[in-house]
Amino acid sequence: MTNWTVKDIRDAVNARETSAQEITAESLRRIDATDSEIGAFLEVFRDSAMLSAVEVDARIKAGESLPLAGVPIAVKDNILVAGHIASAGSKMLEHYTASYSATVIKRLQSAGAIIIGRTNMDEFAFGSSTETSAFQVTK
């Protein structure tokens, strides 16, 4: 599973050769093993990601074919995911919790994608290197 493409994951989950839960668990293991050095994630959505994976597997078992079945997706810190912080890389918003999910998140989830966490960014997206993030610089 290490070098699978989006298409590989989608096809394998839809064919029930693997499960969204297995893909998600592997993604979480890889984040745990590498992100302390990379610093890409500000928050990993472990619980909600695994719950989403269970839901995707149930949809597949019920006969649905999903265009992003089981594909793990990380989103920048300025995209709202209900129940999670969206700080836009700023200390000013470090405790802001989204009360709803952005349309892009709803569409990704509807297509079977698993939202796995929020990633670092320059404060309010003013830059591209994360050097102006209020939290950390990503390697």
Side-chain angles (χ1 to χ4, degrees):
M1 284 189 245
T2 313
N3 295 313
W4 281 17
T5 65
V6 168
K7 183 182 181 311
D8 293 338
I9 292 169
R10 180 206 56 204
D11 292 349
V13 172
N14 276 322
R16 297 174 70 183
E17 295 167 1
T18 189
S19 68
Q21 292 173 71
E22 290 173 307
I23 297 292
T24 302
E26 176 61 20
S27 295
L28 293 171
R29 280 192 291 277
R30 291 183 70 189
I31 290 166
D32 289 343
T34 61
D35 198 56
S36 61
E37 182 164 328
I38 297 168
F41 284 86
L42 294 177
E43 181 182 8
V44 178
F45 304 160
R46 291 178 195 292
D47 294 338
S48 62
M50 289 307 296
L51 286 173
S52 292
V54 168
E55 291 172 13
V56 166
D57 287 338
R59 290 172 66 190
I60 297 297
K61 187 175 181 181
E64 286 188 63
S65 180
L66 303 171
L68 293 173
V71 175
I73 304 283
V75 297
K76 286 295 182 189
D77 190 28
N78 61 347
I79 300 186
L80 301 182
V81 179
H84 294 283
I85 292 172
S87 72
S90 175
K91 287 284 187 186
M92 186 184 319
L93 295 173
E94 72 180 318
H95 300 294
Y96 172 73
T97 301
S99 59
Y100 65 95
S101 288
T103 300
V104 67
I105 297 300
K106 290 177 184 177
R107 288 183 179 179
L108 286 165
Q109 290 172 325
S110 177
I114 309 298
I115 309 302
I116 204 150
R118 63 184 176 96
T119 57
N120 194 26
M121 61 181 283
D122 284 298
E123 190 169 23
F124 299 115
F126 291 134
S128 59
S129 63
T130 72
E131 290 175 40
T132 64
S133 171
F135 303 108
Q136 62 197 28
V137 174
T138 301
K139 291 183 183 172

